[in-house]
Amino acid sequence: MELTILGTAAAEGWPALFCACDTCKRARAVGGKNLRSRAGVQFGKTHRVDLSPDTWYQEAHLGADMSALEYLFVSHSHDDHWQPHCLAYLRPPFAHANNTPVQVYGNEAVVRTGRAELGAEQTIAVFNEVAPLKPIPAGEMTVTPIVASHKVGEQCLNYLFASEGKNVLCAWDTGLYEDESSWKFVENVRLDCVILECTCGPSKCERYHMDYEHYLAFKERLEKAGSVSSECIFVATHFSHNVGILHDELEQYFSPHGVCVAYDGMKIVL
Ligand SMILES: [Zn+2]
Ligand SMILES: [Zn+2]
Ligand SMILES: [Zn+2]
């Protein structure tokens, strides 16, 4: 299984739009792994999670070819994860694609806004409302949605991707799970890769995102449950510029804990 982490910033990107803070100034000056676009992970050319405002950039500059995209899984309706109007470009003359309709999976808000955006053009994308913990057959993969803990009034989702005997957990926008069924599920699979958010880094965070402490508590809980192998790759992602430190400094914190710090374009082969 091969996947690319395309976007690794929180909602405002990093450097953040319009921001004059020191961390953004430093990120602009240093560049490289400090330039973070909004969320997106792609498995090969056919499966993707989230459609952010930086999707074009990721396709053009990070090699995220979507001309053969078949399945799109959306975590929730916040605009750094869901830009449904992009799907209107699936049809000619905007795209000469042979992959339509794209199957789109998400919660009620994602399905509703997707259908509203495409209006009469429902033939280019099919919107499927998912049920938590109900596995979705998607080509060579099986994808299971899990309830995240993120937004009041909306059931935000994390996803487990399973293929070729490997399991990858995509877990962002979420705090520590509040839904016991989510814990039960992740504690009972054998995880090969966990892509887990750490929006707040060293800053204290309340409930709906994670900080360093939450990240390590999540990791420890999985380790205690025996659901991660010793080779399991832990990745931290979805960072806010308000963490106040750059990529190298995030690495200094995470490396001793056996966690990789994501950057835009990071490839993982399992
Ligand atoms: Zn987000
Ligand atoms: Zn900033
Ligand atoms: Zn969000």
Side-chain angles (χ1 to χ4, degrees):
M1 200 195 281
E2 196 177 321
L3 61 106
T4 309
I5 303 179
L6 298 161
T8 58
E12 61 276 34
W14 190 358
L17 290 164
F18 314 115
C19 190
C21 83
D22 279 347
T23 319
C24 286
K25 283 181 189 161
R26 288 172 67 204
R28 288 186 192 105
V30 179
K33 292 177 181 173
N34 297 293
L35 305 179
R36 298 179 182 277
S37 63
R38 271 71 65 86
V41 164
Q42 202 160 306
F43 293 82
K45 292 185 176 176
T46 50
H47 295 63
R48 183 184 174 101
V49 193
D50 285 348
L51 202 61
S52 87
D54 301 321
T55 299
W56 177 89
Y57 161 80
Q58 293 164 350
E59 187 160 13
H61 293 280
L62 301 175
D65 182 352
M66 296 205 299
S67 62
L69 190 75
E70 292 178 44
Y71 303 96
L72 172 65
F73 296 86
V74 182
S75 58
H76 63 305
S77 71
H78 277 158
D79 69 0
D80 55 321
H81 299 264
W82 181 223
Q83 296 284 323
H85 57 273
C86 286
L87 294 173
Y89 299 125
L90 272 167
R91 68 168 179 82
F94 309 112
H96 305 284
N98 52 13
N99 51 332
T100 57
V102 169
Q103 298 292 329
V104 182
Y105 298 88
N107 64 20
E108 182 278 330
V110 165
V111 167
R112 175 171 38 80
T113 51
R115 284 184 182 145
E117 188 68 43
L118 290 199
E121 298 183 291
Q122 306 288 322
T123 49
I124 54 178
V126 175
F127 296 94
N128 305 277
E129 187 173 338
V130 306
L133 304 179
K134 192 171 174 225
I136 300 157
E140 289 166 7
M141 292 190 140
T142 303
V143 183
T144 308
I146 304 160
V147 178
S149 170
H150 180 56
K151 186 181 176 207
V152 176
E154 180 175 332
Q155 188 174 64
C156 302
L157 300 164
N158 292 168
Y159 291 99
L160 181 89
F161 287 79
S163 177
E164 303 162 2
K166 303 283 184 188
N167 291 302
V168 178
L169 179 64
C170 290
W172 59 81
D173 292 29
T174 188
L176 288 172
Y177 293 147
E178 293 176 2
D179 191 316
E180 269 311 307
S181 69
S182 300
W183 282 120
K184 208 171 161 206
F185 181 82
V186 293
E187 285 174 344
N188 282 289
V189 281
R190 190 184 169 283
L191 293 162
D192 299 284
C193 179
V194 176
I195 306 169
L196 179 62
E197 78 138 88
C198 193
T199 306
C200 304
S203 323
K204 263 270 151 290
C205 153
E206 292 300 318
R207 278 173 82 186
Y208 299 130
H209 280 295
M210 292 202 197
D211 56 26
Y212 280 169
E213 217 173 285
H214 297 133
Y215 191 103
L216 296 181
F218 192 102
K219 181 171 182 277
E220 198 182 327
R221 184 156 173 172
L222 296 183
E223 285 164 349
K224 276 196 178 141
S227 60
V228 290
S229 68
S230 55
E231 297 92 60
C232 180
I233 300 169
F234 274 88
V235 182
T237 190
H238 197 277
F239 296 108
S240 158
H241 60 126
N242 291 320
V243 300
I245 53 178
L246 295 190
H247 183 86
D248 287 356
E249 298 158 293
L250 285 164
E251 275 192 331
Q252 278 165 25
Y253 175 79
F254 275 114
S255 290
H257 297 286
V259 176
C260 309
V261 177
Y263 54 88
D264 286 15
M266 180 185 197
K267 282 195 190 316
I268 296 174
V269 182
L270 297 167

Coordinates of all heavy atoms in Angstrom, one line a residue, residues 222-258:
L222 N -3.4 2.8 22.2 CA -3.4 1.8 21.2 C -2.3 0.8 21.5 O -2.5 -0.4 21.3 CB -3.1 2.4 19.8 CG -4.1 3.4 19.3 CD1 -3.7 3.8 17.9 CD2 -5.5 2.7 19.2
E223 N -1.2 1.3 22.0 CA -0.1 0.3 22.3 C -0.5 -0.6 23.5 O -0.2 -1.8 23.4 CB 1.2 1.1 22.7 CG 1.9 1.7 21.5 CD 2.9 2.8 21.8 OE1 2.9 3.3 23.0 OE2 3.6 3.2 20.9
K224 N -1.1 -0.1 24.5 CA -1.6 -0.9 25.6 C -2.6 -1.9 25.1 O -2.6 -3.0 25.6 CB -2.2 0.0 26.7 CG -1.2 0.6 27.6 CD -1.8 1.1 28.9 CE -0.7 1.6 29.8 NZ -1.1 2.8 30.5
A225 N -3.4 -1.5 24.1 CA -4.5 -2.5 23.7 C -3.9 -3.5 22.7 O -4.5 -4.5 22.4 CB -5.5 -1.7 22.9
G226 N -2.6 -3.3 22.4 CA -1.9 -4.3 21.5 C -2.4 -4.2 20.0 O -2.3 -5.1 19.3
S227 N -2.9 -3.0 19.7 CA -3.5 -2.9 18.3 C -2.5 -2.3 17.3 O -2.8 -2.0 16.2 CB -4.8 -2.1 18.3 OG -4.6 -0.8 18.8
V228 N -1.3 -2.0 17.8 CA -0.2 -1.5 16.9 C 1.0 -2.4 16.9 O 1.4 -2.9 18.0 CB 0.2 -0.1 17.2 CG1 -0.8 0.9 16.9 CG2 0.7 0.1 18.6
S229 N 1.5 -2.7 15.7 CA 2.7 -3.5 15.7 C 3.9 -2.7 16.0 O 3.8 -1.4 16.0 CB 2.9 -4.1 14.3 OG 3.2 -3.0 13.4
S230 N 5.1 -3.3 16.3 CA 6.3 -2.5 16.6 C 6.7 -1.7 15.4 O 7.4 -0.7 15.5 CB 7.4 -3.4 17.1 OG 7.6 -4.5 16.1
E231 N 6.3 -2.2 14.2 CA 6.7 -1.4 13.0 C 5.7 -0.4 12.6 O 5.8 0.3 11.6 CB 6.8 -2.4 11.8 CG 7.9 -3.4 11.8 CD 7.3 -4.7 12.4 OE1 6.4 -5.3 11.8 OE2 7.8 -5.1 13.5
C232 N 4.6 -0.2 13.4 CA 3.6 0.8 13.0 C 4.2 2.2 12.9 O 4.9 2.6 13.8 CB 2.5 0.8 14.1 SG 1.1 1.9 13.8
I233 N 3.8 2.8 11.8 CA 4.3 4.2 11.6 C 3.3 5.2 12.2 O 2.2 5.2 11.7 CB 4.5 4.4 10.1 CG1 5.5 3.4 9.5 CG2 5.0 5.9 9.8 CD1 5.6 3.4 8.0
F234 N 3.7 6.0 13.1 CA 2.9 7.0 13.7 C 3.3 8.3 13.0 O 4.5 8.7 13.0 CB 3.1 7.1 15.2 CG 2.2 6.2 16.0 CD1 2.6 4.9 16.3 CD2 0.9 6.6 16.4 CE1 1.7 4.1 17.0 CE2 0.1 5.8 17.1 CZ 0.5 4.5 17.4
V235 N 2.3 9.1 12.5 CA 2.6 10.3 11.9 C 1.7 11.4 12.5 O 0.6 11.2 12.8 CB 2.2 10.3 10.4 CG1 2.6 11.6 9.7 CG2 3.0 9.1 9.7
A236 N 2.3 12.6 12.8 CA 1.6 13.7 13.4 C 1.3 14.7 12.2 O 2.2 15.0 11.4 CB 2.4 14.4 14.5
T237 N 0.1 15.2 12.2 CA -0.3 16.1 11.1 C -1.3 17.2 11.5 O -1.6 17.3 12.7 CB -0.8 15.3 9.9 OG1 -0.9 16.2 8.7 CG2 -2.2 14.7 10.2
H238 N -1.8 18.0 10.6 CA -2.8 19.0 10.8 C -2.4 20.0 11.8 O -3.0 20.2 12.9 CB -4.1 18.3 11.1 CG -5.4 19.2 11.0 ND1 -5.8 20.1 11.9 CD2 -6.3 19.4 10.0 CE1 -6.9 20.7 11.6 NE2 -7.2 20.3 10.4
F239 N -1.3 20.7 11.6 CA -0.7 21.6 12.5 C -1.2 23.1 12.3 O -1.2 23.6 11.2 CB 0.8 21.7 12.4 CG 1.5 20.3 12.8 CD1 2.0 19.5 11.8 CD2 1.5 19.9 14.1 CE1 2.6 18.3 12.1 CE2 2.1 18.7 14.5 CZ 2.7 17.9 13.5
S240 N -1.5 23.7 13.4 CA -1.7 25.2 13.4 C -0.4 25.9 13.5 O 0.5 25.5 14.3 CB -2.7 25.5 14.5 OG -2.6 26.9 14.8
H241 N -0.3 27.1 12.8 CA 0.9 28.0 13.0 C 1.0 28.4 14.4 O 2.1 28.8 14.9 CB 0.8 29.2 12.0 CG -0.4 30.0 12.3 ND1 -0.4 31.4 12.5 CD2 -1.7 29.7 12.3 CE1 -1.6 31.9 12.7 NE2 -2.4 30.9 12.6
N242 N -0.1 28.4 15.2 CA -0.1 28.8 16.6 C 0.7 27.9 17.5 O 0.9 28.2 18.7 CB -1.5 29.0 17.1 CG -2.2 30.2 16.5 OD1 -1.6 31.2 16.3 ND2 -3.4 30.0 16.2
V243 N 1.2 26.8 16.9 CA 2.1 25.9 17.7 C 3.4 26.7 18.0 O 4.1 26.4 19.0 CB 2.5 24.6 17.1 CG1 1.3 23.7 16.8 CG2 3.3 24.7 15.8
G244 N 3.7 27.7 17.2 CA 4.8 28.6 17.5 C 6.2 28.0 17.2 O 7.2 28.7 17.5
I245 N 6.3 26.8 16.6 CA 7.6 26.3 16.3 C 7.6 25.7 14.9 O 6.5 25.4 14.4 CB 8.1 25.2 17.3 CG1 7.0 24.1 17.5 CG2 8.4 25.8 18.7 CD1 7.3 23.0 18.4
L246 N 8.8 25.5 14.3 CA 8.8 25.0 12.9 C 9.0 23.5 12.9 O 9.1 22.8 13.9 CB 10.0 25.7 12.2 CG 9.8 27.3 12.0 CD1 10.9 27.8 11.1 CD2 8.4 27.6 11.5
H247 N 9.1 23.0 11.6 CA 9.1 21.5 11.4 C 10.2 20.9 12.2 O 10.0 19.9 12.9 CB 9.3 21.3 9.9 CG 9.3 19.8 9.6 ND1 8.1 19.1 9.3 CD2 10.3 18.9 9.5 CE1 8.4 17.8 9.1 NE2 9.8 17.7 9.2
D248 N 11.4 21.4 12.1 CA 12.6 20.8 12.8 C 12.3 20.7 14.3 O 12.7 19.7 14.9 CB 13.9 21.6 12.6 CG 14.4 21.5 11.2 OD1 13.8 20.7 10.4 OD2 15.3 22.1 10.8
E249 N 11.7 21.7 14.8 CA 11.5 21.7 16.3 C 10.4 20.8 16.7 O 10.4 20.1 17.7 CB 11.1 23.2 16.7 CG 12.3 24.1 16.5 CD 11.9 25.6 16.4 OE1 11.2 25.9 15.4 OE2 12.3 26.3 17.3
L250 N 9.4 20.6 15.8 CA 8.4 19.6 16.0 C 9.0 18.2 16.0 O 8.7 17.3 16.8 CB 7.3 19.7 15.0 CG 6.3 20.8 15.1 CD1 5.5 21.0 13.8 CD2 5.3 20.6 16.2
E251 N 9.9 18.0 15.1 CA 10.7 16.7 15.0 C 11.5 16.4 16.3 O 11.5 15.3 16.7 CB 11.6 16.7 13.8 CG 10.9 16.3 12.5 CD 11.9 16.0 11.4 OE1 13.0 16.6 11.3 OE2 11.5 15.2 10.5
Q252 N 12.1 17.5 16.8 CA 12.9 17.3 18.0 C 12.0 16.8 19.2 O 12.4 15.9 20.0 CB 13.5 18.6 18.5 CG 14.8 18.9 17.7 CD 15.2 20.4 17.9 OE1 14.9 21.0 18.9 NE2 15.9 20.9 16.9
Y253 N 10.8 17.2 19.2 CA 9.9 16.8 20.2 C 9.4 15.3 19.9 O 9.4 14.4 20.8 CB 8.6 17.7 20.4 CG 7.6 17.1 21.4 CD1 7.8 17.2 22.7 CD2 6.5 16.4 20.9 CE1 7.0 16.6 23.6 CE2 5.7 15.8 21.8 CZ 5.9 15.9 23.2 OH 5.1 15.3 24.1
F254 N 9.0 15.1 18.7 CA 8.3 13.8 18.4 C 9.2 12.6 18.2 O 8.9 11.5 18.5 CB 7.4 14.0 17.1 CG 6.0 14.5 17.4 CD1 5.7 15.8 17.0 CD2 5.1 13.8 18.2 CE1 4.4 16.3 17.2 CE2 3.9 14.3 18.5 CZ 3.5 15.5 18.0
S255 N 10.4 12.9 17.7 CA 11.4 11.8 17.4 C 11.6 10.8 18.5 O 11.5 9.6 18.4 CB 12.7 12.3 16.9 OG 12.5 12.9 15.6
P256 N 11.9 11.3 19.7 CA 12.1 10.4 20.8 C 10.9 9.5 21.2 O 11.0 8.5 21.8 CB 12.5 11.3 22.0 CG 12.9 12.6 21.4 CD 12.1 12.7 20.1
H257 N 9.7 10.0 20.7 CA 8.5 9.2 21.0 C 8.2 8.3 19.8 O 7.1 7.7 19.8 CB 7.3 10.2 21.2 CG 7.5 11.0 22.4 ND1 7.3 10.5 23.7 CD2 7.8 12.3 22.6 CE1 7.5 11.5 24.6 NE2 7.8 12.6 23.9
G258 N 9.1 8.2 18.8 CA 8.8 7.3 17.7 C 7.7 7.8 16.8 O 7.0 7.0 16.2

